[in-house]
């Protein structure tokens, strides 16, 4: 190592000045970038609320419970789409959560080292499939398969439950949309869960095993309780994704305003309704009503995100264990 | 007890122990030619040792000499480390611990372990102690069992009014005693302690040491410690491990194993003498 060259006081000051300018510049740039986000969110929210004003003036909050969507009679309501969004997202969550947790556990606790990398990347590749491609696959493969095999057997085995009504012939419907959403959510929740499980201190796992617990008992008694808030937040982030997904859902959900128990018939979600109707909207009021749907969607998305953040901050059982 | 943390009058302590030596001893662990490796490198090699019932056996030695590896072989904790491999034999009450039909889960139930870093679960104090019994199906009289374990770990009086509080709210020393309570709640035969007091202050350390003296009535204890005074204070038997450096390979070996008094006053190996007199390590 060579000695540090001695510099004159003037040089030192110049360096310091440059350094300070750099600091100022960095501060300014990063602040501007952060503020830009805030401004953008504000601008989007404001514009959407402003443009949905016509519809809001006409239908008020009754829009939320309105069941009709009739461009000819100029009557619009959001309930069928709220229903479609809620049902498709919830079904997707119910299917995706156990699957994703199982994948996360396998990758973090059970899989041999070599397998971890390969399967882990495959799971993440699943997240990389563009949703429109997934939607095409849904139309061509998944939908017909569900319609001809899964839905009939669910109906014949569990038909007494109103959820499993008569199967569809086309494969277009709520259930197909829910399964597509499941495929989209699983990689997100699985990779977040894996990180959470890996974050459980090794000492805790060893503590459980040293008491004579099996791996399953350790997972159930220590790992899952210690990570449940994080996993819940991951699931809600997945929910946010499911609620907002437009393209793939539009491709497979079929469209319609039916509200009923059965999961199989065609329907629409908020997002798919906006995506499929905006281009062909016939009147200003219809466009405004679509923006009203967008506003509802926006609120749902923000709520999901906030809830996830609150859960992570408030209910982390490991808060005291990490330091 | 607390003054013992400063430079101990090792010889006096040892002398006192020598007089109180029990005569007949049951062998709990009969360790024969134990070699444990991670990957290709052996961490400890050719260890022969007998560990006796209701006695505290200390394992001392410089860092990296395989003390922890050794103790983790005794309840098959090393099974969890990828690439870990065992050669030789460990007979536990006459049965080979590593025989093919042996269930490591059952081994760990009988041979409990307390770790260097206190590792209570992020649950209530009560649930920490009750966790093991619940998992193992010992649900009968759970409250009594929890109380007994907490009393056994000399923690009951400090926590009896806040059993529902999170265990992480306890001090470090209390957390470590909670871990001991958790370990004895499942009624093991043996308690392995891997540097249980290394992260604790002197007062908490002496509480743990007094506790160990109580526990040896019911349990066989094996303690790994880097603190020689601690070994001299608590242990009946002491095993001194050291590093054998051979062609750049560093392997832990058992140098000497004897009654604590002998190890600290009249060791038969030069390396032991150098270590206990503080010339290295």
């Amino acid at each position: 190592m060579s000695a540090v060259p001695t510099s004159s006081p003037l040089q030192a000051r110049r360096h310091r000045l440059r350094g300070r300018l750099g600091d100022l510049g960095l501060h300014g740039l990063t602040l501007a970038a952060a503020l830009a986000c805030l401004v953008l969110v504000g601008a989007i929210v404001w514009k959407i609320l402003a443009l949905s004003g016509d519809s809001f003036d006409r239908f008020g909050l009754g829009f939320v419970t309105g069941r009709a969507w009739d461009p000819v009679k100029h009557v619009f309501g959001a309930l069928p789409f709220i229903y479609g969004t809620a049902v498709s997202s919830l079904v997707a969550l119910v299917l995706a959560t156990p699957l994703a947790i199982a994948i996360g556990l396998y990758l973090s606790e059970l899989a041999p080292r070599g397998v971890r990398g390969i399967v882990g990347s495959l799971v993440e590749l699943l997240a990389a499939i563009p949703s429109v491609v997934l939607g095409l696959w849904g139309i061509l493969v998944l939908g017909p398969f569900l319609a001809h095999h899964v839905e009939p057997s669910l109906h014949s085995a569990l038909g007494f439950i109103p959820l499993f009504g008569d199967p569809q012939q086309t494969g277009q419907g709520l259930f197909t949309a829910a399964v597509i959403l499941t495929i989209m959510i699983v990689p997100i929740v699985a990779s977040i869960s894996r990180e959470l499980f890996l974050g459980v201190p090794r000492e805790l796992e060893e503590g459980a095993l040293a008491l004579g617990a099996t791996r399953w008992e350790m997972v159930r008694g220590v790992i899952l309780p210690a990570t449940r808030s994080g996993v819940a937040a991951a699931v809600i982030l997945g929910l946010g994704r499911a609620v907002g997904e437009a393209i793939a859902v539009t491709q497979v959900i079929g469209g319609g305003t039916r509200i009923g128990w059965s999961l199989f018939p065609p329907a629409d979600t908020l997002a798919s309704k906006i995506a499929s109707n905006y281009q062909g909207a016939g009147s200003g009021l219809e466009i405004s009503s679509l923006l009203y749907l967008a506003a509802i969607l926006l609120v749902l998305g923000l709520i999901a995100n906030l809830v996830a953040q609150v859960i992570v901050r408030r209910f982390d059982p490991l808060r005291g264990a990490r330091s | 007890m607390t003054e013992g943390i400063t430079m101990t009058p090792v010889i006096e302590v040892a002398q006192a122990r020598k007089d109180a030596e029990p005569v007949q001893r049951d062998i709990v662990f009969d360790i024969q030619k134990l070699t444990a490796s991670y990957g290709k490198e052996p961490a400890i090699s050719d260890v022969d040792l007998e560990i006796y019932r209701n006695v505290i056996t200390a394992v001392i030695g410089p860092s990296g000499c395989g003390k922890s590896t050794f103790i983790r072989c005794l309840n098959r904790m090393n099974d969890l480390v990828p690439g870990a491999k065992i050669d030789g034999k460990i007979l536990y009450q006459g049965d080979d611990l590593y025989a093919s039909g042996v269930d490591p889960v059952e081994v760990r139930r009988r041979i409990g372990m307390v770790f260097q870093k206190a590792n209570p679960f992020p649950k209530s104090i009560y649930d920490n102690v009750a966790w093991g019994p619940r998992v193992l199906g010992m649900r009968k009289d759970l409250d009594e069992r929890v109380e007994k374990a907490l009393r056994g770990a000399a923690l009951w009086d400090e926590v009896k009014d806040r059993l529902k509080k999170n265990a992480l709210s306890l001090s470090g020393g209390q957390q470590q005693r909670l871990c001991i309570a958790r370990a004895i709640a499942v009624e093991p035969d043996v308690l392995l302690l891997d540097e249980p007091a290394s992260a604790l202050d002197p007062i908490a350390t002496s509480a743990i040491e007094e506790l160990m003296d109580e526990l040896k009535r019911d349990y066989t204890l094996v303690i790994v410690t880097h603190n020689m005074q601690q070994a001299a204070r608590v242990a009946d038997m002491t095993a001194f491990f050291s590093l054998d450096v051979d062609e750049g390979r560093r392997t832990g070996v058992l140098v000497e194993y004897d009654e604590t008094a002998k190890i600290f006053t009249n060791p038969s190996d030069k390396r032991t003498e150098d270590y206990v007199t503080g010339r290295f390590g």
Side-chain angles (χ1 to χ4, degrees), chain A residues 152-238:
Chain A
S153 36
L154 277 174
H155 179 64
S156 60
L158 301 164
F160 58 92
I161 304 173
L163 292 178
F164 307 110
D166 289 322
Q168 298 302 299
Q169 287 311 303
T170 56
Q172 297 268 311
L174 251 185
F175 187 61
T176 312
V179 175
I180 286 284
L181 286 175
T182 305
I183 295 170
M184 298 176 74
I185 300 173
V186 160
I188 302 172
V189 183
S191 51
I192 299 178
S193 305
R194 179 188 58 185
E195 294 307 312
L196 289 165
F197 299 149
L198 285 175
V200 174
R202 198 181 154 73
E203 300 93 61
L204 282 188
E205 300 181 17
E206 291 195 333
L209 294 170
L211 288 170
T214 60
R215 273 196 184 270
W216 162 238
E217 286 158 349
M218 181 218 21
V219 164
R220 204 190 49 178
V222 175
I223 293 190
L224 291 181
T227 53
R228 59 172 177 247
S229 71
V231 172
V235 167
I236 291 172
L237 284 181

Side-chain angles (χ1 to χ4, degrees), chain A residues 52-69 74-82 259 270 289 292-293 296:
Chain A
S52 62
D54 280 352
S55 178
F56 189 83
D57 291 344
R58 179 77 166 268
F59 305 110
L61 284 176
F63 184 77
V64 175
T65 54
R67 297 182 68 144
W69 189 274
H74 296 292
V75 181
F76 301 104
L79 195 62
F81 317 118
I82 294 174
I259 297 177
L270 291 165
S289 298
Y292 200 163
L293 293 183
I296 297 171

Side-chain angles (χ1 to χ4, degrees), chain B residues 77-110:
Chain B
M77 261 339 246
N78 277 339
D79 290 19
L80 308 169
V81 181
K85 195 169 145 276
I86 302 291
D87 289 306
K89 251 187 189 167
I90 300 178
L91 299 181
Y92 167 68
Q93 304 189 338
D95 297 326
D96 187 352
L97 274 188
Y98 287 85
S100 60
V102 172
D103 179 7
V105 170
E106 187 56 28
V107 169
R108 293 182 206 125
R109 198 198 83 57
R110 306 234 191 126

Side-chain angles (χ1 to χ4, degrees), chain A:
Chain A
M1 235 197 246
S2 60
V4 180
T6 50
S7 52
S8 71
L10 189 68
Q11 255 177 326
R13 201 175 302 152
R14 207 176 61 205
H15 278 305
R16 207 176 302 148
L17 191 66
R18 271 180 62 185
R20 283 180 58 181
L21 276 178
D23 272 2
L24 267 175
L26 180 72
H27 191 254
L29 269 175
T30 49
L31 180 70
L35 281 179
C37 273
L38 209 66
V39 170
L40 200 59
V41 171
I44 290 171
V45 171
W46 181 78
K47 197 68 190 171
I48 284 181
L49 290 181
L51 290 175
S52 62
D54 280 352
S55 178
F56 189 83
D57 291 344
R58 179 77 166 268
F59 305 110
L61 284 176
F63 184 77
V64 175
T65 54
R67 297 182 68 144
W69 189 274
D70 193 335
V72 179
K73 293 181 190 156
H74 296 292
V75 181
F76 301 104
L79 195 62
F81 317 118
I82 294 174
Y83 157 85
T85 302
V87 171
S88 60
S89 309
L90 286 180
V91 171
L93 273 198
V94 168
L95 296 176
T97 304
L99 206 61
I101 291 176
I103 293 172
L105 278 176
Y106 178 70
L107 291 178
S108 63
E109 305 293 326
L110 303 172
R113 222 149 263 261
V115 175
R116 281 180 196 200
I118 298 167
V119 178
S121 332
L122 284 177
V123 170
E124 265 149 40
L125 268 184
L126 196 55
I129 298 177
S131 57
V132 66
V133 176
L134 200 60
L136 279 177
W137 178 77
I139 296 172
L140 295 171
V141 180
L142 181 71
F145 175 77
L146 291 177
H148 298 137
H149 298 95
V150 178
E151 292 180 11
S153 36
L154 277 174
H155 179 64
S156 60
L158 301 164
F160 58 92
I161 304 173
L163 292 178
F164 307 110
D166 289 322
Q168 298 302 299
Q169 287 311 303
T170 56
Q172 297 268 311
L174 251 185
F175 187 61
T176 312
V179 175
I180 286 284
L181 286 175
T182 305
I183 295 170
M184 298 176 74
I185 300 173
V186 160
I188 302 172
V189 183
S191 51
I192 299 178
S193 305
R194 179 188 58 185
E195 294 307 312
L196 289 165
F197 299 149
L198 285 175
V200 174
R202 198 181 154 73
E203 300 93 61
L204 282 188
E205 300 181 17
E206 291 195 333
L209 294 170
L211 288 170
T214 60
R215 273 196 184 270
W216 162 238
E217 286 158 349
M218 181 218 21
V219 164
R220 204 190 49 178
V222 175
I223 293 190
L224 291 181
T227 53
R228 59 172 177 247
S229 71
V231 172
V235 167
I236 291 172
L237 284 181
L239 181 72
R241 175 89 200 263
V243 166
E245 174 55 34
I247 291 303
V249 171
T250 311
Q251 285 169 293
V252 298
I253 201 167
T257 55
R258 188 200 67 99
I259 297 177
W261 279 107
S262 177
L263 297 177
F264 301 146
D268 254 321
T269 68
L270 291 165
S272 73
K273 188 67 185 173
I274 298 166
S276 58
N277 278 39
Y278 191 83
Q279 293 293 332
S283 66
L285 186 62
E286 188 176 0
I287 288 180
S288 179
S289 298
L290 287 169
L291 280 151
Y292 200 163
L293 293 183
I296 297 171
L297 188 56
L298 195 64
V299 169
L300 288 179
L302 290 179
I303 289 176
N305 222 306
L306 281 177
V307 169
Q309 289 187 23
V310 168
I311 289 179
V312 169
R313 292 205 188 139
R314 281 272 174 86
F315 305 105
D316 185 359
L318 279 179
R319 228 177 351 177
R322 292 198 199 98
S323 54

